[in-house]
Amino acid sequence: MSVFTTFPQLSDGFLRDLKKVIDDGFRSFTRSYGDVIEGFFSPLQTLLIWFERLLLNTPWPVILLIVAGLAWGASRSWRIVIGSVVTLVLIGMFGMWTDTMKTVSMILAATLLSIAIGLPLGVLMARSPRTQAILNPVLDVMQTMPSFVYLIPVVMLLGIGRVPGLIAVVIYALPPMIRLTNLGIRQVDREVLEATDAFGSSSWQKLIKAQLPLALPTIMAGINQTIMMALAMVVIASMIGVQGLGQPVLRAISNQYFTLGLFNGFAIVGIAILFDRISQAWGKRLQKHREASHD
């Protein structure tokens, strides 16, 4: 038999001991600092509860009007407005309104956190090649790691519930926000930057008055991708207690309830299309505004 038919491996005993050391070390860390970490993330619980109560306590006609207003403000298209309203009406008529609002509250919280974290990191990457060199491999790992894997360390640190689910969703949805913010700022016309330098603008003024406004369409594309990835991860996060449309889907898989899974699956698709169309329309509108002002 050729020596190349089997790959040389570490001994089973060494691998077993190595895995045991890592697992025991992580468990010891969670026992020692779990309460501290849980307290640190407690504001996220408050944020989630606030969003959830806001959406659940708001009468459905008001939510329909708000969504219609956002759709019209973004697209100026009656087709998108009617499609958005009809989608929500059908979701409510099929008895999925409460679960949908819980899912939307999670997406809103995750998107806000992703913007709050991703925007500064994207700016930092655009300004510092060293930071970009450090963050790029991290972002590659975050984007290629199977989404289920994120649940393991989060659950071991914080247990089962909405906050661990939110953290997992943010980790999964964050990379597009960082990458596209970085890309948008790097694509700003050098002539514009030279003009701001000629007027004696500081680095902060250049960022606020030139780079971010001109990069806004690309940043909006990052927000769009973040929303889509957050929605995909919310369904997976239902495995660790995140309430919303994901739990009925998980229950349907476990108990082979075809219609339950199908209806909730269509609701998830409807919400995804709604978010996608409105956020894309805002991005295109900002792009047109940018081109008009540039001309």
Side-chain angles (χ1 to χ4, degrees):
M1 183 182 293
S2 170
V3 294
F4 296 105
T5 56
T6 57
F7 196 88
Q9 298 181 6
L10 297 172
S11 66
D12 291 340
F14 177 79
L15 283 175
R16 187 170 55 251
D17 292 341
L18 179 63
K19 292 175 183 176
K20 187 175 184 302
V21 168
I22 295 173
D23 289 340
D24 289 346
F26 192 77
R27 290 193 189 97
S28 176
F29 176 81
T30 56
R31 292 192 197 101
S32 301
Y33 300 100
D35 292 338
V36 176
I37 295 172
E38 191 171 345
F40 177 78
F41 288 113
S42 60
L44 299 183
Q45 178 87 0
T46 305
L47 179 67
L48 271 174
I49 292 172
W50 186 84
F51 268 123
E52 193 171 300
R53 287 178 178 172
L54 177 66
L55 291 176
L56 290 176
N57 293 331
T58 302
W60 63 265
V62 175
I63 290 179
L64 292 182
L65 287 173
I66 292 172
V67 171
L70 288 172
W72 175 255
S75 65
R76 295 294 193 271
S77 168
W78 284 110
R79 183 172 58 86
I80 293 179
V81 173
I82 294 171
S84 301
V85 172
V86 168
T87 298
L88 291 177
V89 168
L90 289 174
I91 285 172
M93 290 177 64
F94 279 91
M96 297 177 289
W97 185 263
T98 299
D99 284 339
T100 299
M101 292 301 103
K102 290 179 179 179
T103 296
V104 171
S105 68
M106 176 66 75
I107 294 170
L108 289 175
T111 302
L112 284 178
L113 285 172
S114 297
I115 293 171
I117 298 169
L119 193 62
L121 287 178
V123 171
L124 195 59
M125 283 182 70
R127 292 194 163 194
S128 170
R130 179 177 295 180
T131 303
Q132 181 170 350
I134 294 171
L135 286 182
N136 267 334
V138 177
L139 295 175
D140 290 339
V141 171
M142 290 171 68
Q143 287 189 293
T144 55
M145 184 77 72
S147 52
F148 291 96
V149 177
Y150 290 123
L151 304 180
I152 299 170
V154 172
V155 169
M156 291 184 69
L157 282 171
L158 299 170
I160 291 175
R162 287 179 291 188
V163 172
L166 176 62
I167 294 170
V169 171
V170 170
I171 293 172
Y172 184 72
L174 186 59
M177 187 68 219
I178 299 174
R179 288 191 187 277
L180 287 170
T181 299
N182 174 36
L183 178 65
I185 292 176
R186 286 181 180 274
Q187 287 180 335
V188 173
D189 196 336
R190 288 187 177 273
E191 293 180 0
V192 175
L193 300 180
E194 289 172 1
T196 58
D197 289 335
F199 282 105
S201 299
S202 66
S203 180
W204 177 253
Q205 289 172 328
K206 186 192 300 184
L207 175 66
I208 297 299
K209 295 183 179 180
Q211 290 177 306
L212 284 179
L214 293 174
L216 202 53
T218 307
I219 293 172
M220 280 300 302
I223 294 174
N224 173 273
Q225 292 301 306
T226 294
I227 292 171
M228 294 300 101
M229 295 185 73
L231 184 56
M233 189 63 186
V234 160
V235 178
I236 297 170
S238 64
M239 298 176 62
I240 59 171
V242 173
Q243 297 178 341
L245 293 169
Q247 284 198 339
V249 173
L250 188 64
R251 194 162 63 248
I253 294 171
S254 303
N255 298 286
Q256 298 182 1
Y257 295 150
F258 176 73
T259 54
L260 178 66
L262 188 67
F263 288 168
N264 282 271
F266 277 132
I268 293 168
V269 171
I271 293 297
I273 293 173
L274 188 153
F275 275 118
D276 181 65
R277 294 295 183 270
I278 293 177
S279 58
Q280 276 195 15
W282 275 113
K284 290 177 182 177
R285 191 169 181 80
L286 290 169
Q287 182 71 38
K288 289 179 182 177
H289 178 72
R290 172 184 171 181
E291 291 172 354
S293 61
H294 187 69
D295 294 338

